[in-house]
Amino acid sequence: MSNVIATQNLRRTLRIHRLDNVSVALVDLPTGAEVEAGEAVIHLAEPIARKHKFTHQTLAVGDFVIMYGVTVGRATQSIAAGGRIGIDNVEHVTDSAQSGTRRSDWQAPDISAFEGRTFDGFHRGDGSVGTANYWLVVPLVFCENRNIEVLRTCINDALGNDPHRRYKRMARALLNGEPLTEENVSEEVMETPFPNVDGVRFLTHSLGCGGTREDARALCQLLAGYICHPNVAGATVLSLGCQNAEASLLEEAIAARDPRGTRTVHFFEQQALGDEQTLIREALSAIFDGLRQANEITRQPAPLSKLVLGVECGGSDGFSGISANPLVGGVVDRLVALGGSGILSEFPELCGVEHELAARCTSDALATRFRDLMSAYQRHAGAVGADFSMNPSPGNIRDGLITDAMKSAGAARKGGDSPIVDVLDYTEPVTRPGLSLLCTPGNDVESTTAMAGSGANLMLFTTGLGTPTGNPVTPVLKIASNSELARRMFDAIDFDAGPIVEGSSSIDALADALLERCIDTASGRYRSCASRLDQQDFIPWKRGVSL
């Protein structure tokens, strides 16, 4: 965002933008505390909890609340200077109708430390490069979920790959009244016969039949995005045979993304094969053949321009928009300057900053498409009695994000400040280097599922409250907005943005460090916490229902 400033008073408060009429409390502040409020010094009218906001001057009923330089709410009752803002005195409102002037003033960050750098990835026949190497097993319809689970159990057992082995030992020890020791709770590292393969990924879902034909087409487009993903060597597909999501629809979607047929895909139809044993035997044989094929590919150097970085936030708090999100935005800007790509999704969490994003679009057509997709989404939500204003969760509100516009203004900072080169609808693939907007829900897993389907081969996920979310095929790095979370959920957090809030480090310094972590992850030298915890979240979007 432009014109962002950081005015601190002994790191106790933060005014994010010069136009803001509220500031953020970085620590718990008592009634009467003397704080800076814009150009003045005021005394707080009441206690302000850490992460919450206080007003710079008295706000009358109807006055706008300005944060990040944009309208994020409107006072529903008079609020004294130095008073707390909350859902009891402020309502969601935006200034989305205003039009932004086309921006062409982006200044790329200093990338001298990364020019010429490479990561070690898996080169595919279509020119993409993977940060991992998986074989994929997917159902075309929910009727095949049970068979997918049978295959998962059999493959994991055959490969000695049980991600829950230590918890099973823990459960047996507890059942038998034995003490928990390092031996029965530690992780075992098993040797694999396929050292160049990161594993087999099994997807399940609740779609494929019983819904609309459009639901079936969208599912096939999404599955094609996973099968043709840079991190996927090939796939085994199970079909019942009579479902709406026909095998031919998926074959067409795969051919559109991979016209040269560089991915090996095996289809098995249960109704045609007959008995279950035949289906499982044929599928198992195909999976092991696929693993042998995938194991022939090794990591080789690739330019950083081959990285496609999806960005996400979930379990956000009052610090997310001032630490973790702008930090991730700094990484996106660096990657774009290096010729790489970024994906900013979660359209309900861009509400209120549409004019700023439209101004960053490189053409009028892109700006129009973005506004049209936002409007269509809002109409779909309205048709089922929902609204973007309902997006903030109880946890968001409890930690200082009281309106969707406030949450959105901070969330948008994950996208950095570079020009927007494309606007994509759900399931459409990234085809241009630079930053793309992708229409998805704000629901964490539906959004990360979609970004992987559009080609993200690495993801950065910011959180202030904590979340374990991962993805079946794309490594997900979790960035904590505050150091307390990083310490408390140490096994789920990959990077700590808390020093930005504390004032002990800058966004630029940590952005360089986080990009280094991205390179290590993309090269297989660092394994994300979500991967170590076997967190493989996959939820297709049933359009128009989710926020």
Side-chain angles (χ1 to χ4, degrees), residues 51 95 130 214 242 266 288 345 428 434 441 443 459 515 540 545:
K51 304 181 185 180
D95 198 13
E214 183 55 38
C242 58
H266 303 119
F288 286 123
S345 59
E428 291 180 346
N443 177 298
M459 289 190 218
L515 182 51
V545 176

Side-chain angles (χ1 to χ4, degrees), residues 139-142 205-209 213-225 245 250 426-427 538 540-541:
L140 269 170
V141 62
F142 57 82
H205 57 79
S206 61
L207 301 178
C209 204
R213 294 298 191 270
E214 183 55 38
D215 288 338
R217 282 190 289 271
L219 174 66
C220 288
Q221 289 291 340
L222 179 69
L223 294 179
L250 180 57
Y426 180 61
T427 74
F538 178 83
W541 179 25

Side-chain angles (χ1 to χ4, degrees), residues 501-516:
V501 176
E502 297 157 5
S504 60
S505 190
S506 67
I507 289 176
D508 281 339
L510 288 186
D512 285 346
L514 182 52
L515 182 51
E516 288 285 0

Side-chain angles (χ1 to χ4, degrees), residues 7-80:
T7 303
Q8 290 106 16
N9 181 18
L10 299 177
R11 301 304 304 184
R12 297 192 306 158
T13 66
L14 174 68
R15 185 191 189 196
I16 299 170
H17 190 282
R18 62 180 178 81
L19 297 178
D20 292 356
N21 59 5
V22 296
S23 287
V24 185
L26 303 182
V27 296
D28 290 336
L29 297 171
T31 301
E34 186 178 275
V35 296
E36 290 183 2
E39 306 305 318
V41 174
I42 65 170
H43 291 86
L44 294 179
E46 57 186 304
I48 307 296
R50 176 175 174 260
K51 304 181 185 180
H52 287 256
K53 290 84 185 171
F54 61 87
T55 61
H56 293 174
Q57 65 270 340
T58 299
L59 296 184
V61 174
D63 284 351
F64 291 133
V65 176
I66 309 297
M67 191 174 172
Y68 299 99
V70 299
T71 300
V72 299
R74 178 171 51 205
T76 57
Q77 56 185 263
S78 179
I79 307 172

